[in-house]
Structures are given as C-alpha cells and as structure tokens.
Amino acid sequence: MSSTFRAPAGAATVFTADQKIRLGRLDALRSSHSVFLGRYGRGGVPVPPSASSSSSSPIQAVSTPAKPETATKRSKVEIIKEKSNFIRYPLNEELLTEAPNVNESAVQLIKFHGSYQQYNREERGGRSYSFMLRTKNPSGKVPNQLYLTMDDLADEFGIGTLRLTTRQTFQLHGVLKQNLKTVMSSIIKNMGSTLGACGDLNRNVLAPAAPYVKKDYLFAQETADNIAALLSPQSGFYYDMWVDGEQFMTAEPPEVVKARNDNSHGTNFVDSPEPIYGTQFLPRKFKVAVTVPTDNSVDLLTNDIGVVVVSDENGEPQGFNIYVGGGMGRTHRMESTFARLAEPIGYVPKEDILYAVKAIVVTQREHGRRDDRKYSRMKYLISSWGIEKFRDVVEQYYGKKFEPSRELPEWEFKSYLGWDEQGDGAWFCGLHVDSGRVGGIMKKTLREVIEKYKIDVRITPNQNIVLCDIKTEWKRPITTVLAQAGLLQPEFVDPLNQTAMACPAFPLCPLAITEAERGIPSILKRVRAMFEKVGLDYDESVVIRVTGCPNGCARPYMAELGLVGDGPNSYQVWLGGTPNLTQIARSFMDKVKVHDLEKVCEPLFYHWKLERQTKESFGEYTTRMGFEKLKELIDTYKGVSQ
C-alpha cells in the first residue's frame, strides 16, 4: 500500500512512498512542527547517494502524514532542547538569580556547557548545591598553562582536589553557582574548554595518551583533534554564556571546515547555526575513540565510534578501520537495556574519515530514539536494525560504500606507567593515581614539578597522568620528588591497583546507589589478601572496576571482576571481561553485600589458581567454566586446602 507525499503549496510535484526523491535544500528544525528529513524522510523515503544541493532544484521539504502518536512522542529533554534557543534559555536567566541552584530545564542545558548540578547527599537538614565541571581534552592533552589554572581553581573554587576521568578529562567538584562564570571564563582564557563535555552531543574524543613521536600515534591524535573540532557546537551558546560572546577558538584545519560544511549527501541543516546538530542535537551522549593497532588503552569497543589507524608496510597511515555501537549504560532488572561492544562497519581511506564519522553521527541523529532516553544511545539503534541495515543507511549519508575492514593484530591494554622514551630525545613519565583523585601532598608535588619544568601533561583513559617532554637530566630529580609524595614507579604499585577503576559515586553523584571511589581502596586490599591466602603470586592481577550505579562510568562491564552498585552496601557482580578489554562481562550475582565479597571471590580465585590453563586469565577462566559451575564451586568451597 502506497502513501502519497505532497509537496508544499505552490509546488506541483507529487511523490509516492516507493519513489525516490531529492531534497535540494534542508531547513533547520525551527519549531515543534517542522521535521528535518535528512536522507530518510518520516515516511522512510530514501534519497539516492548522488543527491546534492548543487545538482537538484531547490525543494524546501516534503510534507508527510503525521506519525502515529507513539512514534512522535518525545522525552521532556527533547522539548527543553528545542525551546532553548540553542542551549541558552532558561539557563542564561537562571544563572542571574540568587538561588544556589538552577531549575530543571537549566539543569539539562548546563550539561552541554560541561557541568552537572549536584548536592551533598550525606548532608541532613537541607541541600547544599554545587556544580561539577568537566573539561574537554582530545587525546587527554593538557597544556602547562591549563594544568596550573585547573590546580588553582580546585583550591580557590572547588573542594581542593582534581579528578582525572575515564575519558581523559578533568572534573572539578564543588563549584558554587555564583562562581561558575569566573571558573568557566578562567578555563576558556587559559587554553581549556568544557564545551560538550556533557550533554547530548559528542563527548571528549579519546586517543592514546603516550606522547610517542611515531607516525601512527601522531596521526591518531591529530585525527582525534579533528573529529572533536568537526563535532563541536557552532552556534556560540557557550561563549555567549561564559565570556560574553568573545570567541577563544583557534583556527580549524581547512579539512575540518570543508567536511562540516559539505552537504552533498543531505547531512546538514541549511542556514542553521548548528549545521550538524540542529536545534535538537543528538538523542543522547555520543562517544568516539581513536587508536593504533594493538593499543587498547582507550577501551575502543565501548565507544559509539571506534577508529583505528591502518598503516602500510612503511608505517605510513593509509586509512581507518571503523567500529560502531559500543556503550556501557544500562538499568538494573531491565533486560531491554544492556552494555554492548562496538562491531566493525568497514574501512575508509584516511581522507574520508571526517565524512564517514559525520555520516554515522547523522544516522544516529535522524534515527536514534527521542521518546525514551533509556534507549537513545546508538547501540540500541544498531541492535534493532542490525549492522547491515545500519551500514546501508550510513553509506547514503557518506556517499560511498565502506571497504572491508583490514586485518589487525591482537589488542593489548597499555597503561603507559613509568618512564619511556618519546622518540625525539625526550622522555615521558606515566604516574598511577588511585581512582584519578589528585589531592593533598600529591597535588602539591605535581604542581611544583609541572610548574618548575614547564611540563605539558596528558590524562589517560585509566585515570592516570603522563608528564611529557622531560629532558634526560631532569629524570632523577623528578623521580625523587614524586616518590616522596607517593607517586611511585609502577614496580612499587600493586598490580591490582594499576588496572582498577572506580567512578566518584557518593557523596555527590545523584545517581549513586552505593560507594565506588571511596570503597575501592578497601576492596582492592581485601582482594590482595585473598590472593595471598589462596597462593596467587603478587605480580598476578585481575582487572577490577567498581561503579556506584549501573550507568557504567568506570566501564565495569569490561572488567574481569566488575562490581556494580545495586543497593546500599551491595553490588551486582559481573565476570568474564578480559585483560585486553575485548570481551564483555556478564552478570553473575545480584545483591552481594560488600562484607560478603570473600564468600563469592575467594573460592573463584582459589579454583582459578588450581584449574587454569596456561596463561589463562581470570576472566577467561570464568567464561570457560560457566556460571553454573562457578556457583557450585562457591557453594561447596571448604577453604584453602592445607
């Protein structure tokens, strides 16, 4: 049965649902009654890949029958975005009030500016509101000037600590509303930004933090910078709000500007201040990581888009393998929500990467769900459609077919802890920071070293910090002063700690169900004690990640042992991830009280030691044995045999 689509008044053209049409011009979303059709209209009418604004007559849009109510329903956040004048109103008015907090609409909008409203959940008798600020640092790069600025701001306006995040950024906690503009403008004026660090748009783009002077590493980091620039908001709301409209953007590479402005395949909102995002931005957050073969320091498969540099036999980058559809967030006891690994979509030559990424983003923008935010990530779209249909739609926005993915070697997790040569005569030093929390004597000493030697730094996706461009003669004095502050070389850090991660959780995160950052030091000590009891060597390790809720900010679903908060002092236990972060874990037990961890974990560690195959990791062992057998081992465990 064929529906009829009629052109606007004054146009004679009539289309049927099985005919192909060309949209020569595409208007931005201007009100709740106008809908951007993109390559697929509301009626599912495809536009040929060859369609372009330069080769077709300018049809404004095609009127289509209204969708059923279930299809057109939108979440509250979608309406807030639409009415916000590109993420300005009512946040601009709320920031001027005397109240310590902002209203519900402004809470949603300030995320796009890189901030979350929080309150201390342990306080009784009222709420003390404050704001968390998150920076945006592609590849984790932090110039010397920005590091010193963030260090100062933490003391003057925050809670005295900085936090290194799992997406290679800073988080600054405890900023009062009255100080937001001062803090934001200071970050912007000192080579930093928080624009898009939160909200329904592309978040920080990951890349290996190691400052190697190698062609593939440099190309990966350059590509991360370019993708971040391509997908950065363009409408100026951020600078309007925090620096009175003054622009602090550096000149963009011409290839970024060209890719953003290209509308030859119907990707853009014409005449919109947001050519890629429109008024609605994306259905949910969007995450991208770029890396080189073997280097899985970025948890590649947990991202919406994973990009891998492919080089020829001479080490010259030629193109990229692309993976799509990863994501960690889920909801307890809702099996329709799930963590998911990205899967290959194909290969593109290096000159096409920005166009391919843009096509994937636009596919999610047009087809991702906007009615229920639990299902709005791109992983649900791909899970629903299947990779073949998803690829077909992306290719229409891209204008080309993806080539088959290139063969890659095995992945490895790389921490970049300790000293290593950059390849240009200088050194870098990776330092482990428990849960990424920089405070006290550690913060003071890092400040002294970074300031004295004018060092740039990088943040790793494992919440650690890398000091860059260190001269040989500086190595000894820097090592000495850092060690005195507890910033030790990796041989002096427990292997369990080196791969462990935790989210902030209590007291400030509004989603936390139980402890994570504050609880993980005790958990790791108890795991170490279990290792010793069952006879495991000190240098053996298990990837442990702890989160206070199922949203998965510390990526617990990739851990060999993941603990996900599911009640007061209790966790859901996940098993089966691998040390190289390529296999997703599965839920093993619910509602395990923190004081009962030994009852669950000690039998598993004991039998792993006894029954593992050669070089079999804990995660691989738990997968091979199967959960029924593991539960039987726990139930029948009599303790360590003497």
Side-chain angles (χ1 to χ4, degrees):
M1 182 173 162
S2 168
S3 302
T4 300
F5 297 79
R6 298 193 179 274
T13 313
V14 177
F15 302 103
T16 58
D18 55 354
Q19 288 179 307
K20 294 183 177 180
I21 61 171
R22 286 189 178 183
L23 300 183
R25 176 145 195 240
L26 302 161
D27 285 344
L29 287 167
R30 301 190 186 279
S31 75
S32 59
H33 303 294
S34 63
V35 179
F36 170 66
L37 299 178
R39 300 285 309 160
Y40 273 71
R42 282 197 296 190
V45 183
V47 185
S50 59
S52 72
S53 54
S54 59
S55 61
S56 57
S57 57
I59 298 172
Q60 293 289 324
V62 179
S63 177
T64 63
K67 282 185 178 181
E69 186 59 34
T70 53
T72 56
K73 181 184 174 188
R74 295 184 300 159
S75 71
K76 217 186 296 187
V77 176
E78 289 298 312
I79 296 165
I80 290 169
K81 287 187 288 185
E82 184 180 63
K83 295 179 177 178
S84 70
N85 184 23
F86 294 98
I87 319 300
R88 292 176 173 87
Y89 174 82
L91 177 60
N92 51 357
E93 294 184 355
E94 285 291 299
L95 290 172
L96 299 176
T97 70
E98 296 292 321
N101 60 321
V102 298
N103 68 18
E104 183 183 353
S105 294
V107 164
Q108 297 301 326
L109 298 180
I110 201 167
K111 295 176 185 178
F112 291 76
H113 297 257
S115 180
Y116 283 89
Q117 180 171 281
Q118 299 181 329
Y119 63 92
N120 188 336
R121 294 174 62 187
E122 294 177 338
E123 216 170 50
R124 296 294 176 259
R127 290 186 176 181
S128 297
Y129 287 97
S130 66
F131 291 80
M132 179 270 279
L133 272 59
R134 184 184 295 152
T135 58
K136 206 168 183 185
N137 310 85
S139 308
K141 294 177 182 175
V142 182
N144 179 267
Q145 180 181 339
L146 178 59
Y147 184 91
L148 300 178
T149 298
M150 295 301 296
D151 185 80
D152 287 337
L153 293 172
D155 288 341
E156 189 172 355
F157 298 106
I159 60 173
T161 66
L162 282 171
R163 197 166 197 281
L164 316 177
T165 79
T166 59
R167 290 204 71 79
Q168 298 186 273
T169 64
F170 286 117
Q171 281 185 183
L172 186 63
H173 292 97
V175 178
L176 299 180
K177 178 180 146 184
Q178 66 205 45
N179 296 324
L180 271 174
K181 188 166 184 177
T182 300
V183 175
M184 288 283 205
S185 62
S186 296
I187 292 170
I188 294 166
K189 292 173 182 177
N190 286 279
M191 307 174 69
S193 176
T194 65
L195 172 59
C198 322
D200 298 342
L201 69 177
N202 180 54
R203 303 289 185 88
N204 196 50
V205 181
L206 304 188
Y212 288 133
V213 184
K214 299 177 181 178
K215 289 178 183 176
D216 54 351
Y217 275 84
L218 293 172
F219 193 57
Q221 290 155 3
E222 177 190 338
T223 302
D225 289 343
N226 287 347
I227 292 172
L230 172 74
L231 300 178
S232 184
Q234 300 296 301
S235 53
F237 63 82
Y238 181 67
Y239 299 99
D240 286 352
M241 202 78 70
W242 308 112
V243 286
D244 301 323
E246 188 177 354
Q247 295 288 316
F248 282 81
M249 298 172 70
T250 55
E252 293 179 318
E255 61 266 32
V256 172
V257 177
K258 183 180 178 186
R260 182 189 298 119
N261 292 337
D262 180 83
N263 195 30
S264 55
H265 302 287
T267 53
N268 288 20
F269 293 102
V270 176
D271 299 330
S272 171
E274 291 291 355
I276 294 178
Y277 290 129
T279 60
Q280 300 305 109
F281 288 77
L282 297 179
R284 278 301 293 272
K285 59 188 172 185
F286 199 91
K287 296 180 177 180
V288 181
V290 186
T291 192
V292 302
T294 76
D295 188 337
N296 200 18
S297 60
V298 298
D299 251 350
L300 182 80
L301 301 178
T302 65
N303 289 269
D304 292 87
I305 302 178
V307 178
V308 185
V309 176
V310 176
S311 301
D312 63 17
E313 61 274 10
N314 300 315
E316 291 290 340
Q318 298 299 306
F320 300 90
N321 278 0
I322 300 179
Y323 299 77
V324 293
M328 291 286 97
R330 48 176 288 279
T331 302
H332 281 317
R333 284 162 284 286
M334 286 188 66
E335 297 307 312
S336 56
T337 67
F338 45 81
R340 188 183 193 275
L341 294 188
E343 58 186 304
I345 193 173
Y347 169 91
V348 299
K350 61 183 179 182
E351 61 272 14
D352 283 357
I353 186 59
L354 297 181
Y355 299 89
V357 166
K358 182 180 175 185
I360 295 166
V361 170
V362 170
T363 300
Q364 163 65 354
R365 181 194 75 197
E366 290 301 291
H367 298 282
R369 285 181 60 170
R370 294 182 183 268
D371 61 324
D372 189 335
R373 290 176 66 81
K374 285 195 296 294
Y375 305 103
S376 292
R377 290 289 298 275
M378 193 172 76
K379 64 182 178 182
Y380 294 112
L381 177 63
I382 296 175
S383 182
S384 168
W385 278 5
I387 192 66
E388 298 301 330
K389 178 178 177 180
F390 184 81
R391 183 188 291 113
D392 288 345
V393 176
V394 171
E395 285 173 344
Q396 296 190 50
Y397 289 117
Y398 175 35
K400 298 180 181 180
K401 292 283 186 183
F402 286 99
E403 297 177 34
S405 297
R406 304 302 194 249
E407 287 287 325
L408 294 177
E410 287 292 311
W411 292 104
E412 301 171 24
F413 168 72
K414 297 178 185 288
S415 69
Y416 299 115
L417 296 178
W419 288 97
D420 202 353
E421 295 183 76
Q422 294 180 178
D424 58 357
W427 295 76
F428 70 85
C429 181
L431 298 166
H432 172 74
V433 180
D434 283 332
S435 297
R437 182 69 65 180
V438 180
I441 185 66
M442 178 194 297
K443 180 173 175 293
K444 180 175 180 290
T445 303
L446 275 174
R447 165 69 183 239
E448 290 171 358
V449 169
I450 290 166
E451 190 169 31
K452 178 178 180 180
Y453 296 99
K454 297 180 171 59
I455 290 171
D456 292 337
V457 308
R458 297 190 185 182
I459 301 168
T460 81
N462 225 50
Q463 301 175 290
N464 296 321
I465 193 165
V466 177
L467 308 182
C468 306
D469 304 315
I470 297 171
K471 295 179 180 179
T472 301
E473 58 267 29
W474 298 348
K475 281 182 66 182
R476 184 183 291 264
I478 286 177
T479 301
T480 301
V481 71
L482 291 174
Q484 291 170 347
L487 287 153
L488 305 173
Q489 292 304 296
E491 58 266 29
F492 302 113
V493 178
D494 190 319
L496 289 169
N497 292 58
Q498 289 186 33
T499 57
M501 291 203 296
C503 70
F506 285 130
L508 294 177
C509 178
L511 302 176
I513 302 169
T514 193
E515 298 284 3
E517 180 185 338
R518 296 191 307 194
I520 197 172
S522 169
I523 289 170
L524 293 174
K525 287 176 184 173
R526 290 165 62 190
V527 171
R528 174 54 63 197
M530 285 184 255
F531 270 34
E532 292 172 355
K533 183 175 178 181
V534 304
L536 286 162
D537 293 337
Y538 177 79
D539 61 358
E540 298 195 78
S541 187
V542 169
V543 177
I544 299 172
R545 294 176 173 179
V546 184
T547 60
C549 85
N551 279 0
C553 292
R555 305 189 286 272
Y557 310 115
M558 301 303 290
E560 293 181 273
L561 173 59
L563 301 177
V564 179
D566 69 349
N569 299 311
S570 101
Y571 297 93
Q572 195 176 64
V573 176
W574 287 66
L575 300 175
T578 53
N580 68 352
L581 308 173
T582 57
Q583 181 171 295
I584 202 155
R586 292 184 298 130
S587 175
F588 177 60
M589 281 188 177
D590 291 340
K591 300 288 184 183
V592 175
K593 289 295 183 181
V594 68
H595 58 261
D596 287 334
L597 283 180
E598 281 80 0
K599 292 179 183 177
V600 174
C601 295
E602 186 182 306
L604 301 182
F605 295 147
Y606 175 71
H607 285 281
W608 171 46
K609 180 181 184 298
L610 287 183
E611 300 160 3
R612 60 186 166 179
Q613 298 173 350
T614 305
K615 295 185 177 178
E616 186 175 43
S617 71
F618 179 70
E620 291 165 339
Y621 168 77
T622 58
T623 299
R624 177 172 63 85
M625 295 299 288
F627 284 2
E628 281 190 30
K629 178 63 175 176
L630 296 180
K631 287 175 181 174
E632 181 185 321
L633 294 176
I634 292 170
D635 291 340
T636 59
Y637 182 63
K638 304 296 185 186
V640 178
S641 299
Q642 300 301 321

